[in-house]
Amino acid sequence: MDERHLVHALMKAVSEEAHEFTVRPRFPGMKKFAAFAYVAESFGYRYLGHAPGNAALNNPYFLFRRTADARERTAALIGSTPSAPARNVLPGMRPGLGLTPVPEARREVGLLYSQMVVDAGGRYNPRVLSNILILPIVLAIFLIFPGYTVRNVLIAAAVWGAFFVLYLVGLGVTRRRRKKHLACLSAAGVEWPPRVDV
């Protein structure tokens, strides 16, 4: 299960007191990943968005950096549940339900989710448009085999037009969601994206 993979990566970083660590979530939902980011921050690893150099990937790595009080946070968490090993401590999550936040943690998890939506919106950039604009060349190459008949060219043009329309719709939806979540973060006093010196 992906939740175990994420928690294992976090616990390894905590035990090694690593300055930072990166993970790539395997499940599609950002809400579960936001809950993981909440757990990571409870142990002193702050979510910083995409790891440098791979934001353009369809499934990028995400960066977490150790805070100055990470050791104290970890000690406090382990001290609050001495009967449970550290790897089973999921602060702010429902016991036995993995990365499912308790009501008290939902606001913070929601803010982390908003940060992730803003990050994801930033990946919808000119690179995506360039892929759409290269598509006619790819279609032209594929038309060599069946031949350049009027019917085949019209089908290829319709395929390209459908992709372009989907791009425009996706761009509109992404911009709207990004604006909404930036407003939510701003109202909560969260500066996002974070400054480089974090």
Side-chain angles (χ1 to χ4, degrees):
M1 182 181 249
D2 193 45
E3 293 182 15
R4 288 181 189 167
H5 152 74
L6 292 171
V7 173
H8 174 74
L10 170 63
M11 291 299 111
K12 184 178 178 196
V14 168
S15 65
E16 295 173 356
E17 296 189 354
H19 174 63
E20 60 186 31
F21 74 97
T22 58
V23 290
R24 175 187 278 172
R26 296 174 188 154
F27 52 72
M30 277 195 288
K31 289 191 177 178
K32 286 282 187 185
F33 191 61
F36 167 74
Y38 177 90
V39 172
E41 291 199 2
S42 299
F43 279 97
Y45 281 89
R46 184 172 176 212
Y47 170 75
L48 292 179
H50 298 127
N54 76 108
L57 298 176
N58 288 333
N59 187 16
Y61 283 91
F62 293 88
L63 177 66
F64 290 82
R65 186 165 293 154
R66 186 176 169 86
T67 59
D69 62 345
R71 186 176 290 170
E72 292 78 16
R73 287 184 182 210
T74 300
L77 285 172
I78 293 172
S80 66
T81 54
S83 61
R87 67 179 177 277
N88 293 332
V89 176
L90 293 179
M93 302 297 124
R94 292 180 184 269
L97 294 178
L99 295 172
T100 304
V102 296
E104 300 79 34
R106 284 188 192 143
R107 181 180 178 278
E108 291 299 318
V109 171
L111 291 174
L112 286 161
Y113 173 71
S114 289
Q115 292 171 13
M116 291 172 184
V117 170
V118 170
D119 291 339
R123 291 195 349 252
Y124 208 94
N125 55 28
R127 178 190 62 91
V128 179
L129 179 59
S130 68
N131 290 342
I132 297 292
L133 296 178
I134 289 171
L135 187 59
I137 297 168
V138 175
L139 292 170
I141 292 169
F142 276 104
L143 283 178
I144 290 172
F145 302 104
Y148 285 97
T149 64
V150 172
R151 179 178 175 271
N152 289 345
V153 170
L154 287 175
I155 290 172
V159 168
W160 180 81
F163 275 106
F164 189 69
V165 167
L166 286 173
Y167 165 77
L168 292 176
V169 170
L171 183 63
V173 169
T174 300
R175 284 186 176 171
R176 198 168 125 216
R177 288 188 75 208
R178 194 168 197 265
K179 184 178 178 183
K180 172 187 162 190
H181 285 278
L182 276 172
C184 176
L185 291 169
S186 179
V190 176
E191 182 184 352
W192 197 259
R195 294 184 184 182
V196 181
D197 61 349
V198 194

